[in-house]
Amino acid sequence: MHCPFCAHDDTRVVDSRIADDGESVRRRRECPQCGQRFTTFERADLGFPMVVKADGRREAYRQEKLLAGLQRALSKRPVPTAQIDQALRKIEKQIRAHPEREIPARRIGDLVMAALRELDPVAYVRFASVYRRFEDLQAFSSEIQALLEPKSGNKDGH
């Protein structure tokens, strides 16, 4: 691997460790030319299915697009970056596990909804309002009610 500091064409591995719950290998490298150290991550390149949009267009899966959607929904919410990264990895694992070479964008949206529901209820409703195209307060109210029902227990208070 080339050194990112001086572009020397060979670096040596100083340390290797398992990272991301076994999903990658973290390697500490050192350049023999300039002495700088840096970190790289090695992941299996399993590829992703093509994303089929609602209008029938197909496009390559892009992690940055999924991450941007999560971050937009979670903007100014008290969710640690580590939890967002973990949710992203979980969603990507589910996308890779899709049995076909194409996956509907709607399925990815459903996976994001499920992840946000676990992370933060406000972010979940934010995302749902755009994803499900809420057009009135009744749609918001219905979604919030559905979000609260599993936590309310018995309706008679017992």
Side-chain angles (χ1 to χ4, degrees):
M1 170 165 260
H2 293 282
C3 174
F5 302 103
C6 72
H8 183 68
D9 64 354
D10 195 23
T11 57
R12 71 181 186 91
V13 175
V14 179
D15 182 45
S16 291
R17 295 181 187 196
I18 300 294
D20 297 330
D21 298 326
E23 298 290 321
S24 65
V25 177
R26 176 187 175 273
R27 299 194 194 282
R28 270 311 267 166
R29 295 179 173 271
E30 183 176 45
C31 176
Q33 182 79 20
C34 69
Q36 291 287 332
R37 288 186 170 199
F38 60 98
T39 302
T40 61
F41 288 89
E42 180 181 316
R43 301 182 198 291
D45 185 8
L46 302 175
F48 286 92
M50 290 296 288
V51 178
V52 181
K53 308 297 270 181
D55 64 4
R57 287 180 297 120
R58 283 153 175 70
E59 62 181 48
Y61 167 79
R62 291 194 350 246
Q63 181 187 65
E64 53 281 353
K65 201 169 176 181
L66 178 60
L67 182 58
L70 285 169
Q71 289 173 331
R72 211 171 12 257
L74 290 159
S75 175
K76 298 182 182 178
R77 298 299 303 153
V79 178
T81 303
Q83 285 185 342
I84 298 169
D85 291 343
Q86 185 177 17
L88 179 68
R89 284 193 308 273
K90 181 179 177 183
I91 293 167
E92 286 187 328
K93 189 174 184 178
Q94 292 171 309
I95 293 169
R96 272 195 215 100
H98 188 72
E100 298 169 21
R101 294 181 59 190
E102 296 181 336
I103 185 169
R106 190 114 181 108
R107 175 71 182 126
I108 295 173
D110 292 342
L111 294 172
V112 171
M113 291 272 291
L116 288 172
R117 187 177 183 130
E118 290 178 22
L119 285 175
D120 184 84
V122 172
Y124 169 80
V125 172
R126 280 181 184 167
F127 187 85
S129 71
V130 175
Y131 178 63
R132 293 191 177 153
R133 296 184 178 119
F134 291 172
E135 295 187 16
D136 58 24
L137 289 176
Q138 183 58 43
F140 272 101
S141 179
S142 296
E143 193 65 38
I144 291 169
Q145 189 59 41
L147 187 61
L148 293 174
E149 282 176 7
K151 294 181 180 177
S152 65
N154 292 337
K155 294 183 183 195
D156 62 1
H158 292 88

